[in-house]
Amino acid sequence: MQGGAPAGDRRWDSQYADGRVPRQRQRYRETGGGGMGPGDHSGGEGGGGGMPAPRKKRRVLRWFAVCLSLLILAAAGAGYFYVEHLNGNLGRDVLNLGDSKLDKSDPNGAGQTPMNILLLGSDSRQSKKNVELGGAKGDGDRPPLADVQMLLHVSADRSNISVVSIPRDTKATIPKCTDPDDRQVYNETTDKINTSLQHGGPGCTVATWEELTGIPVDHFMMIDFAGVVSMADAVGGVPVCVDKNVYDPQSKLRLKKGNSVVKGEQALHWLRTRHGFGDGSDIGRARAQHLYMNSMVRQLKAGTKLSDPGKMRDLAEAATKALTVDEGLGSVKKLYDLGNDLKRVPTKRITMATMPWQYAPGGYVVPKKGDADHTFSLIRNDIALDGKDKKKAKPKKPEPSEPTSPRSEIPVRVMNGTGSALQAPVSGRAGVITEELGRKGFAQTTADQTPKSQADTTISYARESERGNALAVARSIGLPESAVKHSSGVQEVTLVIGGDWREGTAYPKNGGGGSGKQPENKAPDSADAVRGNDDKACMEVNPANVW
């Protein structure tokens, strides 16, 4: 692994010259990496990094933003000074450590912008509590791995949430990252995606996700195991279901066939169980985590036992101490606002899915060609994975489909968005396409040299009356209508040349084109999607773990 931190790297205990410990790295030392608790080692069954496998491989997924926000803000009534105290509990780190970053999603025609939050959990064993819950002391000095990775996409109109998990063993190109504390440079390498956390912190995992998926990440939340037991108890337990009696000696989960309500450490056992579900791999565990998260959301929305002020303050303490976020989410007020956004989404419009995948040599998982691309494209283009987006209402009058002005009078701005975390932008690309549009009669086309980075080529227009003009530009270069978008973020017809069009003057037929001509605007079957209101879903027990 090029440029990576070996096990026990003293960088994680580094100090500034005056003896101060960087705040972000101090959080790693005190809480074991700011992650989710006992987990699988990087070696052996697919952790990455080439280290030997421990006897017991355990890890835990902790709850995400909506639950934490509800818990934190339930205690905020104690007043300003207490909120400031909670702010001090939060860990903060840099959002993206790569040299190049994707530009944020553009707002839609109504000025609404989607939001993408990367949820991370580590396998750290560096705290006493982790060891008490089943961690391995021998791995105490190893930098943590990001063994749980989920992208939470909140639609622009806040009508739905789509969550996509990526298996920890996914083969990924980890871009060059620079540690924000000691400025150590980690060179680009190919490894399992969970090792990206060892390349300077969560900001390198964000950079890796943007490169792999083409989805711009707005925030991250990296969550420690502290408080998960209390949260499960606070909501009166979380209902789960198994299709057979299950016993996993690795995680200590033992349940009878059918429905159960898991509380306390039993909830912890459910979340980290791998051998007991499916084929005994991390894939089954991801589905179990999805079912648990959906069930907890239903519990919270149905009304829970979160009414004791003293208990709520304790939970708020645990939640804020367990959380590391980017600076953009670095206050209780910001988490509260986020929680309010998430609460607006009805349970039936929450969809949990796993990146379509297939096994590959070397113990890797790789994205399944076609299906994974389609899933990521839906997220990039703010299309719900459940396929339940409302069909666009027919306008009272037909939308403009023909230009309102001659080509020579249509202002067009062209931007070069071909750069990415791993590929430099194609020099002069905006100029080449500007010249091509000029030859096609668009005499008022100009090349904008503002740096841009975008996966899909798009054409945006500011006013509904300009739709026909934008379509005329799209047709002239072979761009499909699906790539033409109404956005309040532009002033005139704007063409952004994405990473899917790095050469030529005609848009390639196999390009992304804002999701192109995919068969369906929903997650493929291989994504194993679970709906938030599905209270009948049951985990399939691994036959080797039936009792």
Side-chain angles (χ1 to χ4, degrees):
M1 184 171 65
Q2 304 172 11
D9 190 345
R10 296 186 62 82
R11 179 184 65 81
W12 294 87
D13 288 324
S14 62
Q15 297 179 335
Y16 292 117
D18 61 2
R20 291 181 295 114
V21 179
R23 172 169 170 75
Q24 295 92 334
R25 211 56 65 219
Q26 183 177 18
R27 166 57 64 83
Y28 275 100
R29 289 166 57 184
E30 293 177 350
T31 68
M36 291 184 179
D40 289 1
H41 199 289
S42 61
E45 296 182 46
M51 289 173 276
R55 263 176 284 175
K56 294 184 179 180
K57 302 184 174 190
R58 296 166 181 172
R59 168 173 46 265
V60 59
L61 174 68
R62 300 302 170 248
W63 190 223
F64 64 97
V66 61
C67 299
L68 287 170
S69 299
L70 288 170
L71 294 174
I72 291 167
L73 268 298
Y80 170 80
F81 291 106
Y82 184 63
V83 172
E84 285 302 293
H85 165 73
L86 293 179
N87 284 338
N89 286 345
L90 288 169
R92 300 170 182 83
D93 216 327
V94 179
L95 175 62
N96 191 318
L97 301 183
D99 289 343
S100 299
K101 305 167 182 62
L102 292 175
D103 286 287
K104 302 305 179 187
S105 302
D106 288 330
N108 60 19
Q112 302 164 314
T113 305
M115 179 167 46
N116 298 309
I117 305 170
L118 187 59
L119 311 175
L120 302 175
S122 84
D123 73 343
S124 171
R125 299 167 175 84
Q126 293 174 321
S127 75
K128 180 179 179 181
K129 187 66 174 177
N130 273 0
V131 174
E132 290 175 358
L133 291 171
K137 293 181 180 179
D139 290 334
D141 292 331
R142 173 175 59 78
L145 300 160
D147 271 354
V148 177
Q149 302 187 22
M150 298 181 178
L151 186 80
L152 186 150
H153 172 82
V154 190
S155 66
D157 62 4
R158 303 306 189 253
S159 68
N160 65 85
I161 289 175
S162 296
V163 180
V164 179
S165 295
I166 284 186
R168 67 193 178 111
D169 296 339
T170 299
K171 186 176 184 179
T173 301
I174 302 171
K176 174 185 172 185
C177 292
T178 302
D179 189 294
D181 291 331
D182 60 15
R183 309 309 300 170
Q184 180 170 345
V185 175
Y186 294 82
N187 294 324
E188 176 189 319
T189 187
T190 298
D191 207 335
K192 293 177 180 178
I193 197 168
N194 64 349
T195 66
S196 58
L197 187 61
Q198 298 179 335
H199 291 224
C204 196
T205 305
V206 169
T208 304
W209 263 77
E210 288 200 345
E211 172 55 33
L212 178 67
T213 67
I215 300 170
V217 177
D218 302 298
H219 301 291
F220 76 80
M221 302 178 74
M222 188 165 66
I223 308 170
D224 185 272
F225 70 88
V228 67
V229 172
S230 298
M231 284 194 290
D233 286 340
V235 298
V238 177
V240 296
C241 177
V242 290
D243 68 350
K244 298 177 183 68
N245 295 347
V246 60
Y247 174 56
D248 181 0
Q250 297 284 344
S251 69
K252 302 179 183 178
L253 179 71
R254 182 188 289 270
L255 292 174
K256 291 184 177 181
K257 175 182 177 180
N259 297 315
S260 301
V261 175
V262 293
K263 299 182 180 181
E265 290 192 21
Q266 194 177 40
L268 200 65
H269 299 159
W270 173 276
L271 291 167
R272 70 186 185 198
T273 291
R274 174 165 62 92
H275 301 286
F277 296 142
D279 63 359
S281 74
D282 199 54
I283 306 302
R285 174 163 47 197
R287 180 174 176 82
Q289 292 166 351
H290 293 164
L291 296 186
Y292 181 94
M293 292 166 74
N294 280 338
S295 186
M296 187 175 243
V297 169
R298 291 194 298 270
Q299 291 288 93
L300 288 167
K301 284 181 173 287
T304 67
K305 299 176 181 179
L306 303 180
S307 57
D308 184 324
K311 180 178 288 188
M312 289 312 308
R313 282 193 293 272
D314 291 342
L315 287 168
E317 289 283 347
T320 51
K321 287 178 180 177
L323 197 60
T324 299
V325 297
D326 65 281
E327 293 291 346
L329 283 180
S331 74
V332 169
K333 173 63 166 62
K334 291 175 180 176
L335 289 172
Y336 174 70
D337 291 341
L338 172 61
N340 279 337
D341 254 0
L342 298 178
K343 284 193 297 182
R344 293 164 53 187
V345 180
T347 305
K348 64 182 180 180
R349 295 302 314 279
I350 298 174
T351 306
M352 307 269 180
T354 301
M355 175 194 77
W357 58 275
Q358 58 192 44
Y359 288 117
Y364 288 112
V365 164
V366 294
K368 184 176 181 180
K369 190 172 180 60
D371 283 4
D373 296 337
H374 178 45
T375 302
F376 296 146
S377 179
L378 293 176
I379 298 291
R380 288 196 300 266
N381 291 282
D382 197 26
I383 299 171
L385 295 184
D386 64 4
K388 300 295 183 180
D389 278 342
K390 291 182 179 179
K391 292 184 178 180
K392 194 173 181 181
K394 291 184 178 181
K396 295 180 180 179
K397 58 181 180 179
E399 291 183 295
S401 58
E402 298 299 326
T404 58
S405 304
R407 289 188 173 192
S408 61
E409 297 178 9
I410 298 175
V412 181
R413 180 173 61 149
V414 181
M415 305 182 73
N416 183 358
T418 57
S420 71
L422 298 180
Q423 296 188 93
V426 179
S427 180
R429 193 79 182 111
V432 169
I433 301 303
T434 295
E435 290 179 4
E436 176 66 12
L437 288 173
R439 285 192 289 271
K440 293 180 177 296
F442 295 94
Q444 293 192 38
T445 302
T446 58
D448 187 334
Q449 302 304 321
T450 304
K452 191 81 174 170
S453 182
Q454 185 171 297
D456 298 325
T457 298
T458 60
I459 293 180
S460 303
Y461 57 93
R463 291 166 289 279
E464 196 64 33
S465 60
E466 295 178 332
R467 182 173 183 270
N469 295 344
L471 286 171
V473 176
R475 292 170 186 143
S476 73
I477 55 176
L479 198 64
E481 185 175 335
S482 59
V484 179
K485 304 175 184 299
H486 186 194
S487 172
S488 64
V490 298
Q491 299 299 316
E492 67 271 299
V493 174
T494 300
L495 166 63
V496 179
I497 306 163
D500 57 348
W501 189 18
R502 295 178 64 85
E503 60 184 10
T505 55
Y507 184 73
K509 291 182 179 180
N510 62 345
S515 78
K517 297 180 179 179
Q518 297 289 355
E520 288 186 294
N521 280 336
K522 69 174 184 178
D525 291 342
S526 56
D528 194 23
V530 181
R531 298 277 293 279
N533 64 341
D534 184 0
D535 58 2
K536 305 298 182 184
C538 239
M539 279 306 300
E540 180 181 341
V541 175
N542 185 340
N545 290 82
V546 175
W547 62 276

